[in-house]
Amino acid sequence: MNETMICAVGNVATQPVYRELATGASVRFRLAATARYLDREKKEWTDGHTNFFTVWANRQLATNVSGSINVGDPVVVQGRLKIRSEVREGQPSWTSADIDAVAIGHDLARGTSAFRRTQRAETAGSDAPARPEPAWETPPPETEGRREAAETEDQREAVAVT
């Protein structure tokens, strides 16, 4: 299925509204994305047109968004773009740009953020022992011999060349 995926960078314009539905958690908020450009005559940055999107998030993403973002926060939103147009009798027609979010995060180009992993509910089949995190700084013992052999081969090639 062809879907229009976009990445929008902007500020949270409305407080996220969280709802618990029959299908799971859902949250929505408005995102304001303003283009900025360098005005060469004034030699300063100027705000351009502001686009507003209604961002929808579901399930675990909705729960995490409701506890993480507030009005004014700079965010990056990735998701499926959906344009809706509607005509109601006796009212002017309107068009809405919605983003069905896949990922939402703070824009770290404009500030810092502290990540906290959410705790998942324990399942009955998770009796497996916890595995320790591998020590990425030191190579595993079985590759040490291969590295020494490669270094020795490189030294032999360097001597042969000179």
Side-chain angles (χ1 to χ4, degrees), residues 5-162:
M5 297 293 288
I6 68 165
C7 183
V9 179
N11 292 322
V12 177
T14 62
Q15 189 62 34
V17 176
Y18 178 85
R19 294 213 168 98
E20 196 66 47
L21 305 172
T23 57
S26 179
V27 71
R28 70 173 164 76
F29 64 91
R30 298 279 286 166
L31 176 73
T34 303
R36 290 182 56 90
Y37 64 94
L38 180 62
D39 187 339
R40 296 189 193 280
E41 293 175 7
K42 296 179 185 176
K43 295 187 176 153
E44 63 183 29
W45 286 95
T46 306
D47 287 341
H49 177 74
T50 301
N51 291 308
F52 286 92
F53 300 95
T54 301
V55 178
W56 296 88
N58 298 304
R59 295 176 291 284
Q60 187 64 44
L61 179 59
T63 304
N64 294 342
V65 164
S66 68
S68 300
I69 66 171
N70 294 299
V71 174
D73 286 356
V75 293
V76 179
V77 176
Q78 182 180 8
R80 290 175 286 281
L81 178 65
K82 296 183 180 183
I83 306 296
R84 297 183 302 134
S85 296
E86 190 170 320
V87 178
R88 294 183 183 164
E89 193 174 319
Q91 295 179 356
S93 64
W94 57 270
T95 302
S96 172
D98 295 356
I99 300 174
D100 185 12
V102 174
I104 300 172
H106 285 108
D107 183 359
L108 298 181
R110 298 193 274 161
T112 62
S113 183
F115 180 80
R116 289 183 312 272
R117 188 172 301 277
T118 55
Q119 298 297 319
R120 294 186 180 195
E122 293 296 321
T123 60
S126 65
D127 294 335
R131 296 187 336 201
E133 183 71 23
W136 298 107
E137 291 79 25
T138 58
E142 66 270 4
T143 61
E144 194 63 38
R146 282 186 259 158
R147 182 191 300 167
E148 289 172 2
E151 289 173 357
T152 306
E153 186 67 30
D154 290 343
Q155 291 169 349
R156 279 192 216 133
E157 289 177 9
V159 171
V161 171
T162 55

